[in-house]
């Protein structure tokens, strides 16, 4: 048996004290309050948290007044790298001061830096610390306490020299408190101390917290006085509210004054009341009164273009939109304009550089709900921006929870709402686990927000508003979206280049029309042309817009898009957001449409009306007070038709019109085209505007020039001629337009997307017959037949005699125009014919069918569907064969296991190709056909690969033969 060391046999009398000490420590742990749960805390909990942080996060304490080892000033360094100065004037009461934000805001009278100094002093010796605590500070202290209402006060020592009493007597009441805490009186007291004898000064300490308090109080007084002076000067004619190119409405003047003289203020007006204009006006006012020179606008990327246009329209001030790489951005920060516009993502990356290089006088946060979550990187970066003036703009300062407004206001004045833990305690009812269950004291919250927040609802300023407001949000493209857009743009540009040398053929002009339409579709989303590409920045922007609009309980919204597939995405978004909607497109039967319209009008829960241009004419939807255009039509008249669904006679509310426009695109150009066309209409029809400024394009060269400008410069005006029509002013040598194209243009101009189908087919007698399917009722179809019949007597060009036209017009159900036989029918009749044809009861006579118009809501004709199916089969088959070759190469190189993933991909593609070949809608692997991956875990990889490869090769050969036969047929 080995001997034990002495440490293994400690006598029981030596172990007992250690055991008792351990029991005491364990009892402290057991008696300690449980950790905080959720938001459930009290002041003692928060103080204890700061004590713990003071003991664990403070890395250094340096005495700056060696003559005062306990009641002096200390420099404190924390683990995070920060350095602050702490003033101790009491070791028992929370009357000490620190320069950190937490001490200024938390209302506790302490912070981790103060607690860190106290802990360091205790470590020097408990007895000495206790003795100092009993003696208290030997100096008279003038300071701002932070454990109450933050009113300056005096703290007297046990013995006060007579010279100090005499010096401070003019400022002290009978009870020893300050007789007046106004900034002027405090400044006089500080000046008196500064002029006193050094021996007297040594017995008085003026806290460093006093100067910022006086400055804040002076600023508040000066702001109110400056506003009153400016308003008086305006009334006396010495100043003016008209600082912009367009006059402000009365409520907008109030908003301008609130921002400019509030210095750091929140403008929370409803959407459509012109927050941007009010902020621009406030900046211009401060440029005039305070000589501010640099304004930083922080907004979502989609609004940068909107800010540029609004500044140009209302102010004309120099504006710079920051874009590009970091190197490019830094160069732009070094050369700021009066308005420098950045997006939130750039602030996250560049906040320090913006402070150092731009050095803004004013920071404007637009759509400031982006910082509503106080713990996010975006919120932290934005709150680090430094400027004497700050304007926060948001129509929804509170979207989901009241602590969102806390985060927004914290950027303006961190002390206004106090610390978050006290805010939550004051305005939320919390359960036993610290979770919020309800609100409370909301009137108190409103009162505390009043100094910085101005909020007007539409109903508050309804009498001051125009009949409608228009807001355009510029939306940047996604990289993939831009690549697809540029494909169409390049092809269109080549056609325009050819048109500058010679007239385009009819086929070329039609192709140009198609390319322009594709560019417009891609501006919404490539999904319209490619169902597999679900990219749409507009949809993301729309979510933000809808969230703001539906925040008003009684708000109803009409949303228009020319493209039904875009509306499909919007419908999914509405479902995700929990919004009830009505659906109104060309594919919806008439009875159902009426039901959807009635539901939107009468059901308070149905807030959204989704419509193509089929709903832009004839509907009365005054229940709505907002219209969103996801895309803009070429013609301002059609745009007005959309707006007129809600903005019409007897509409008692202002209607907000919101346009989503893709930046640097054909849509951007269309804004100028619409403005030009509207200027002409306003001048001629409404006698409004300057007609001398409206220029008429002349000749083919003008048309080509405008098209070239459109494709080369997103800000250039555009003219686009309807398909088949002759451009305005085109030269006579232009190739004549075919009657069929004129028929198409005529029907589209009068029916829009209600024209579901226009197709031509040669009948058994060799004559061409046109079939037009309208998404309309029987009365509308009858009126259309009558219209075409009346036109037959006057439109007999291209060799068609009036007799021929009359003969065609008298055929049952058939009308005629320009000698063309046209069959007009409604959707229900067309669908019935299609069903009977599909069952074989009817036979579609004639041949060479050609669609001039076909709505996406109509299923493709059988021949086209077959071609699409075979093309997809060929695509999948080619992919399967490539994967098979890859698998064989890997296997032959000795990598049988590595070949299996390629073979599995080959199997999936082969099954898809076979399904397409057979007309199946779903692909299901057939285990008996050896077309799924081997499942025998015991088989060698090479053996499994060989067996599967043989089966796949047979299947691919079979599909290839079938595809060749089908294509030949």
């Amino acid at each position: 048996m080995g001997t034990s060391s002495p440490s293994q046999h400690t006598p029981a009398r030596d172990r007992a004290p250690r055991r008792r000490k351990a029991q005491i420590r364990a009892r402290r742990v057991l008696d300690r309050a449980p950790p905080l749960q959720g938001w459930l805390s009290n002041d003692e909990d928060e103080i204890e948290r700061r004590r713990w942080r003071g003991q664990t996060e403070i890395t250094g304490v340096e005495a700056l007044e060696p003559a005062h080892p306990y009641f002096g000033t200390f420099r404190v360094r924390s683990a995070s790298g920060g350095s602050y100065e702490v003033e101790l004037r009491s070791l028992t009461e929370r009357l000490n001061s620190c320069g950190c934000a937490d001490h200024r805001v938390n209302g506790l009278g302490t912070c981790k830096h103060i607690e860190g100094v106290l802990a360091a002093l205790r470590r020097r010796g408990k007895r000495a610390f206790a003795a100092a605590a009993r003696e208290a500070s030997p100096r008279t202290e003038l300071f701002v306490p932070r454990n109450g209402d933050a009113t300056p006060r005096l703290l007297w020592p046990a013995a006060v020299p007579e010279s100090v009493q005499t010096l401070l007597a003019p400022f002290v009441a009978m009870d020893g408190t300050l007789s007046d805490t106004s900034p002027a009186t405090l400044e006089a007291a500080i000046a008196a101390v500064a002029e006193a004898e050094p021996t007297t000064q040594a017995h008085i300490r003026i806290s460093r917290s006093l100067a910022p308090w006086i400055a804040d109080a002076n600023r508040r007084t000066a702001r109110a006085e400056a506003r009153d002076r400016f308003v008086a000067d305006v009334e006396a004619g010495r100043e003016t509210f008209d600082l912009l190119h367009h006059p402000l409405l009365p409520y907008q003047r109030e908003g301008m004054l609130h921002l400019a003289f509030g210095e750091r203020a929140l403008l929370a007006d409803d959407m459509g009341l012109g927050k941007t204009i009010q902020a621009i006006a406030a900046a211009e006012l401060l440029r005039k009164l305070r000589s501010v020179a640099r304004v930083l606008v922080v907004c979502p990327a989609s609004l940068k273009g909107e800010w540029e246009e609004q500044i140009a329209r209302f102010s004309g001030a120099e504006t710079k939109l920051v874009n590009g790489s970091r190197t490019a951005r830094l160069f732009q920060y070094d050369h700021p304009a009066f308005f420098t516009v950045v997006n939130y993502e750039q602030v996250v990356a560049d906040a320090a550089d913006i402070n150092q290089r731009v050095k803004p006088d004013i920071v404007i946060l637009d759509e400031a709900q982006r910082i509503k979550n106080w713990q996010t990187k975006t919120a932290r970066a934005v709150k680090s921006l430094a400027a004497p003036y700050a304007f926060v703009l948001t129509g929804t300062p509170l979207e989901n929870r009241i602590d969102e407004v806390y985060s927004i206001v914290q950027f303006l004045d961190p002390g206004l709402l106090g610390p978050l833990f006290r805010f939550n305690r004051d305005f939320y009812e919390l359960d036993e686990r610290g979770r919020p269950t309800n609100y409370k004291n909301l009137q108190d919250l409103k009162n505390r927000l009043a100094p910085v927040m101005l909020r007007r609802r539409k109903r508050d300023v309804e009498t001051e508003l125009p009949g409608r407001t228009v807001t355009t949000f510029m939306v940047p493209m996604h990289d993939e979206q831009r690549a697809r857009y540029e494909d169409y743009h390049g092809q269109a540009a080549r056609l325009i280049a050819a048109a500058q040398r010679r007239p385009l053929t009819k086929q070329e002009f039609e192709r140009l029309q198609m390319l322009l339409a594709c560019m417009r579709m891609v501006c919404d989303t490539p999904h319209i042309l490619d169902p597999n590409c679900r990219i749409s920045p507009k949809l993301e922007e729309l979510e933000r817009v809808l969230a703001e609009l539906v925040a008003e309980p009684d708000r109803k919204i009409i949303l228009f898009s020319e493209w039904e597939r875009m509306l499909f995405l919007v419908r999914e978004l509405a479902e995700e957001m929990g919004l009830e909607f009505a659906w109104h497109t060309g594919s919806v039967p008439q009875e159902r449409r009426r039901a959807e319209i009635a539901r939107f009008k009468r059901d308070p829960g149905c807030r959204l009306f989704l419509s193509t241009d089929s709903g832009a004419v004839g509907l009365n939807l005054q229940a709505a007070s907002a219209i969103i255009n996801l895309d803009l039509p070429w013609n301002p008249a059609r745009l007005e038709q959309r707006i007129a669904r809600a903005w019409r006679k007897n509409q008692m509310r202002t209607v907000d019109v919101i346009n989503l426009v893709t930046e640097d695109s054909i849509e951007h150009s269309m804004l100028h085209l619409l403005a030009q066309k509207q200027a002409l209409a306003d001048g001629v029809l409404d006698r409004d505007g300057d007609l001398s400024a409206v220029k008429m394009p002349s000749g083919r060269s003008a048309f080509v020039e405008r098209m070239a400008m459109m494709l080369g410069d997103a800000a250039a005006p555009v003219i686009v001629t309807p398909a088949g029509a002759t451009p305005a002013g085109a030269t006579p040598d232009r190739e004549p337009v075919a009657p069929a194209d004129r028929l198409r243009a005529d029907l589209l101009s009068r029916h829009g997307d209600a024209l579901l189908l226009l197709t031509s087919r040669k009948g058994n007698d060799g004559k061409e017959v046109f079939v037009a399917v309208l998404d309309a009722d029987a009365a509308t179809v009858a009126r259309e037949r009558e219209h075409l019949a009346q036109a037959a007597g006057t439109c007999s060009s291209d060799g068609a005699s009036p007799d021929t036209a009359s003969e065609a017009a008298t055929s049952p159900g058939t009308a005629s125009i320009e000698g063309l036989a046209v069959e007009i029918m409604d959707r229900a009749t067309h669908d019935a014919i299609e069903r009977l044809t599909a069952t074989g009861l009817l036979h579609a006579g004639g041949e060479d069918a050609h669609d001039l118009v076909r709505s996406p809501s109509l299923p493709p004709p059988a021949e086209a569907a077959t071609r699409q199916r075979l093309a997809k089969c060929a695509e999948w088959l080619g992919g399967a064969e490539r994967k098979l070759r890859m698998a064989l190469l890997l296997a032959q190189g000795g990598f049988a296991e590595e070949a299996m993933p390629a073979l599995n991909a080959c199997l999936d593609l082969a099954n898809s190709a076979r399904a397409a070949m057979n007309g199946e809608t779903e692909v299901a692997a057939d285990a008996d056909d050896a077309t799924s991956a081997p499942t025998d875990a015991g088989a060698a990889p090479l053996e499994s690969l060989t067996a599967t490869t043989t089966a796949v090769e047979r299947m691919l050969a079979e599909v290839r033969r079938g595809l060749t036969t089908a294509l030949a047929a």
Side-chain angles (χ1 to χ4, degrees):
M1 180 181 294
T3 59
S4 300
S5 64
S7 62
Q8 292 175 310
H9 292 282
T10 304
R13 64 178 179 274
D14 295 331
R15 294 199 302 270
R18 296 182 185 179
R19 186 180 299 112
R20 284 194 298 272
K21 191 172 184 180
Q23 290 172 340
I24 292 173
R25 291 171 179 168
R27 177 51 54 191
R28 287 177 184 168
V29 171
L30 295 175
D31 291 343
R32 188 175 298 161
L36 301 180
Q37 298 188 53
W39 290 343
L40 195 61
S41 71
N42 54 40
D43 283 1
E44 287 305 318
D45 294 329
E46 297 295 336
I47 292 171
E48 184 59 37
R49 181 182 298 178
R50 285 157 178 79
R51 284 177 183 153
W52 179 81
R53 295 184 66 190
Q55 295 171 5
T56 58
E57 298 179 14
I58 300 304
T59 59
V61 176
E62 176 188 0
L64 301 181
E65 295 179 288
H68 297 279
Y70 286 96
F71 302 102
T73 304
F74 303 84
R75 179 174 292 116
V76 181
R77 293 182 297 277
S78 65
S80 61
S83 176
Y84 296 94
E85 291 189 2
V86 168
E87 298 171 349
L88 290 191
R89 58 185 58 88
S90 175
L91 303 184
T92 56
E93 297 182 79
R94 296 195 297 277
L95 301 176
N96 304 307
S97 302
C98 179
C100 73
D102 181 53
H103 182 264
R104 186 170 65 253
V105 171
N106 66 35
L108 299 171
T110 190
C111 65
K112 72 174 183 180
H113 307 104
I114 293 174
E115 295 299 330
V117 174
L118 293 173
L121 295 179
R122 287 192 192 94
R123 287 194 293 269
R124 293 181 184 177
K126 293 183 178 180
R127 291 182 180 179
F129 184 89
R134 288 191 296 272
E135 294 175 3
S137 173
R139 292 183 285 188
T140 299
E141 305 267 1
L142 179 56
F143 68 105
V144 179
R146 294 292 179 178
N147 60 348
D149 60 359
T151 301
R153 61 169 287 192
L154 280 169
L155 181 67
W156 300 98
V160 184
E162 185 176 347
S163 61
V164 172
Q165 296 182 28
T166 302
L167 177 67
L168 297 180
F171 312 104
V172 178
M174 293 296 295
D175 60 356
T177 62
L178 287 169
S179 58
D180 184 5
T181 57
S182 67
T185 301
L186 293 173
E187 288 172 338
I190 293 172
V193 173
E195 295 172 359
E197 294 293 331
T199 54
T200 302
Q201 288 183 14
H203 292 281
I204 303 172
R205 179 164 61 163
I206 307 295
S207 173
R208 301 184 187 194
S209 63
L210 195 60
W213 187 93
I214 293 174
D216 286 343
N218 280 332
R219 265 198 305 273
R220 287 192 295 272
T221 302
R223 288 200 303 259
E225 292 175 350
R227 175 171 175 158
D228 292 342
R229 280 197 305 272
F230 178 76
V231 172
D233 287 343
V234 170
E235 293 173 350
R238 295 185 295 269
E239 289 288 358
T240 179
F241 285 124
D242 298 329
L243 303 170
L244 304 181
H245 296 163
H246 299 273
L248 297 176
L249 297 170
Y251 78 88
Q252 292 175 328
R253 295 173 183 173
E254 179 71 16
M256 175 188 71
L257 297 176
H258 172 73
L259 293 173
F261 294 105
E263 292 187 0
R264 305 184 68 83
L266 168 62
L267 184 61
D269 287 348
D270 272 353
M271 176 186 285
L273 295 187
K275 294 185 289 294
T276 302
I277 299 168
Q278 295 173 70
I280 294 171
E284 291 291 353
L285 179 58
L286 289 174
R287 170 159 41 183
K288 180 178 181 181
L289 299 181
R290 301 285 185 269
S291 300
V292 302
R294 298 181 176 186
V295 181
L296 179 76
V297 178
V298 184
C299 64
S302 60
L303 296 186
K304 291 169 76 174
E306 171 71 6
W307 269 92
E308 183 180 36
E309 292 193 3
Q310 292 290 318
I311 293 169
R313 178 184 176 191
F314 291 101
S315 166
E318 182 189 5
T319 306
K320 176 172 289 184
L321 269 59
V322 175
N323 290 302
S325 65
R326 175 167 171 77
T327 301
R329 297 198 305 272
L330 294 179
F331 178 82
Q332 294 169 76
Y333 297 147
D334 284 332
H335 302 83
F338 181 72
F339 285 102
T340 300
V341 185
V342 300
N343 50 274
Y344 282 94
E345 293 77 10
Q346 291 169 337
V347 172
V348 172
D350 303 338
D353 298 297
I354 291 171
N355 283 334
Q356 181 181 358
R357 298 168 185 257
V358 179
K359 298 177 181 176
D361 300 309
I362 305 173
V363 172
I364 301 176
L365 300 187
D366 192 14
E367 299 298 336
Q369 62 270 21
R370 293 290 181 96
I371 64 167
K372 67 182 181 181
N373 295 322
W374 55 271
Q375 71 272 31
T376 63
K377 289 182 180 179
T378 299
R380 289 196 296 268
V382 167
K383 291 172 186 178
S384 71
L385 295 175
Y389 295 90
F391 306 160
V392 171
L393 314 178
T394 175
T396 54
L398 193 157
E399 290 182 300
N400 301 305
R401 306 163 63 99
I402 58 174
D403 49 310
E404 293 172 354
V405 76
Y406 173 89
S407 180
I408 293 172
V409 171
Q410 193 179 44
F411 171 70
L412 297 172
D413 182 357
L416 183 66
L417 297 178
L420 182 61
F421 70 84
R422 182 168 287 116
F423 177 90
N424 292 333
R425 184 196 310 165
D426 290 345
F427 301 112
Y428 279 111
E429 291 181 0
L430 305 175
D431 64 14
E432 67 280 358
R433 297 179 60 184
R435 297 174 303 185
T437 59
N438 205 347
Y439 299 127
K440 64 179 182 181
N441 305 326
L442 292 184
Q443 184 59 45
D444 182 41
L445 175 60
K446 181 179 178 180
N447 295 338
R448 287 166 67 175
L449 289 172
V452 298
M453 186 175 78
L454 178 63
R455 177 165 176 79
R456 278 80 57 90
R457 310 301 293 268
K458 274 210 173 59
R459 59 177 177 266
D460 302 327
V461 295
E462 200 77 48
T463 57
E464 301 177 34
L465 288 174
R468 72 185 188 198
T469 64
V470 180
T471 305
T472 300
F473 294 117
M474 307 303 294
V475 183
M477 283 196 198
H478 184 278
D479 291 343
E480 172 68 17
Q481 184 183 19
R482 173 65 68 182
R484 293 175 184 242
Y485 178 87
E486 291 299 336
D487 285 344
Y488 296 114
H489 179 277
Q491 297 176 62
R494 286 192 289 274
L495 284 173
I496 289 297
Q500 291 174 319
R501 301 189 300 270
R502 60 170 175 80
L504 296 179
T505 66
K506 179 167 72 78
Q507 291 77 14
E508 287 174 327
F509 191 79
E510 288 180 349
R511 178 163 178 76
L512 177 59
Q513 296 284 335
M514 182 272 291
L515 291 170
L516 294 174
C518 289
M519 290 165 65
R520 294 179 60 213
M521 293 177 195
V522 172
C523 286
D524 273 3
T525 171
H527 181 68
I528 297 173
L529 298 169
D530 179 3
N532 295 319
C533 184
R534 296 172 67 89
I535 293 171
S536 181
K538 278 191 181 180
L539 198 70
E540 298 173 18
E541 185 67 19
L542 176 64
E543 180 182 7
R544 182 192 63 78
V545 172
L546 285 177
E548 186 165 345
L549 289 174
V550 300
E552 297 183 53
D554 59 344
R555 172 83 83 166
K556 290 202 173 194
I557 305 137
I558 307 173
L559 188 146
F560 283 108
S561 175
E562 284 195 37
W563 325 113
E564 193 168 0
R565 275 193 177 174
M566 182 63 185
L567 289 182
F568 288 154
L569 295 182
V570 176
R571 183 168 65 183
E572 293 182 30
L573 173 63
E575 290 169 348
E576 287 289 331
M577 297 178 69
L579 298 177
E580 290 190 36
F581 57 87
W583 184 258
H584 190 283
T585 70
S587 60
V588 178
Q590 285 292 329
E591 288 299 322
R592 175 68 183 278
R593 284 199 218 177
R594 285 193 285 269
E596 291 290 280
I597 293 168
R599 188 164 69 92
F600 179 72
K601 288 181 176 181
R602 299 165 188 165
D603 183 357
C606 185
R607 308 281 301 279
L608 193 57
F609 188 87
L610 305 181
S611 179
T612 58
D613 279 323
S614 63
V617 181
L619 295 183
N620 182 346
L621 298 174
Q622 286 180 295
S625 59
I627 294 172
I628 300 175
N629 293 302
L630 283 180
D631 36 67
L632 298 176
W634 289 114
N635 194 321
R638 179 170 289 186
L639 181 60
E640 287 301 315
Q641 287 173 346
R642 291 181 176 182
I643 298 170
R645 295 316 97 220
W647 187 57
R648 54 201 297 133
K649 186 178 180 180
N650 299 323
Q651 172 62 273
M652 303 303 295
R653 294 173 296 177
T654 296
V655 174
D656 292 316
V657 180
I658 299 163
N659 303 319
L660 299 188
V661 174
T662 298
E663 199 170 21
D664 297 328
S665 72
I666 189 173
E667 286 190 330
H668 203 155
S669 302
M670 286 171 61
L671 285 176
H672 300 268
L673 169 69
L674 289 167
Q676 185 183 50
K677 289 184 175 182
Q678 192 61 52
L680 177 62
D682 291 345
V684 174
L685 303 178
D686 302 329
R687 298 182 182 180
D688 185 21
D690 182 10
L691 278 175
S692 64
V694 181
K695 305 300 181 184
M696 175 180 174
S698 61
R700 180 177 61 85
S701 60
F703 168 73
V704 172
E705 179 183 354
R706 287 177 179 270
M707 295 293 286
M709 291 174 63
M710 175 197 68
L711 296 181
D713 182 358
V718 187
I719 290 182
V720 174
T721 307
T726 303
T731 54
D733 61 353
R734 177 112 188 176
E735 181 177 335
V737 179
D741 293 328
R742 281 199 290 272
L743 171 64
R744 174 177 60 183
D746 177 62
L747 290 171
L748 284 172
S749 67
R750 288 182 294 107
H751 298 287
D753 66 353
L755 179 64
L756 301 180
L757 178 66
L758 178 61
T759 186
S760 69
R761 181 183 291 270
K762 285 188 178 180
N764 295 330
D765 57 359
K767 294 183 179 180
E768 191 171 28
V769 178
F770 290 82
V771 176
V773 178
L774 296 180
D775 187 9
D777 54 25
T780 302
V781 171
R783 284 196 299 270
E784 181 58 33
R785 288 195 187 116
E786 182 180 352
H787 170 81
L788 293 179
Q790 291 173 352
T794 56
C795 300
S796 56
S797 60
D798 291 352
S801 68
D803 292 338
T804 306
S806 299
E807 182 181 347
T810 57
S811 302
T814 302
S816 172
I817 184 171
E818 302 193 29
L820 303 179
V822 185
E823 172 65 42
I824 308 292
M825 65 179 68
D826 59 19
R827 173 73 181 264
T829 303
H830 170 266
D831 290 347
I833 293 173
E834 289 291 299
R835 288 194 298 271
L836 293 173
T837 303
T839 58
L841 296 177
L842 285 181
H843 173 65
E847 57 184 11
D848 298 332
H850 172 60
D851 290 345
L852 285 80
V853 174
R854 175 173 284 273
S855 168
S857 65
L858 290 180
E863 297 84 358
T866 300
R867 287 194 297 271
Q868 292 174 6
R869 176 170 55 81
L870 295 179
K872 187 60 74 173
C873 173
E875 176 186 343
W876 284 328
L877 181 62
E881 290 173 339
R882 287 193 296 275
K883 291 294 183 182
L884 181 60
R885 288 195 297 272
M886 183 187 301
L888 291 174
L889 284 172
L890 288 169
Q892 291 165 1
F895 300 94
E897 290 186 8
E898 289 78 1
M900 291 307 296
L903 184 58
N904 286 332
C906 170
L907 289 170
D908 291 338
L909 290 167
N911 276 318
S912 297
R914 184 170 64 176
M917 183 70 250
N918 296 330
E920 299 170 3
T921 58
E922 296 183 0
V923 178
D926 186 352
D928 297 333
D929 198 24
T931 58
S932 57
T935 57
D936 184 2
L942 184 57
E943 293 173 354
S944 299
L945 178 68
T946 302
T948 305
T949 300
T950 301
V952 170
E953 287 177 327
R954 285 199 304 268
M955 184 178 71
L956 291 179
E958 173 192 339
V959 175
R960 175 64 69 185
R961 286 193 300 271
L963 179 61
T964 302
T965 302
L967 291 174

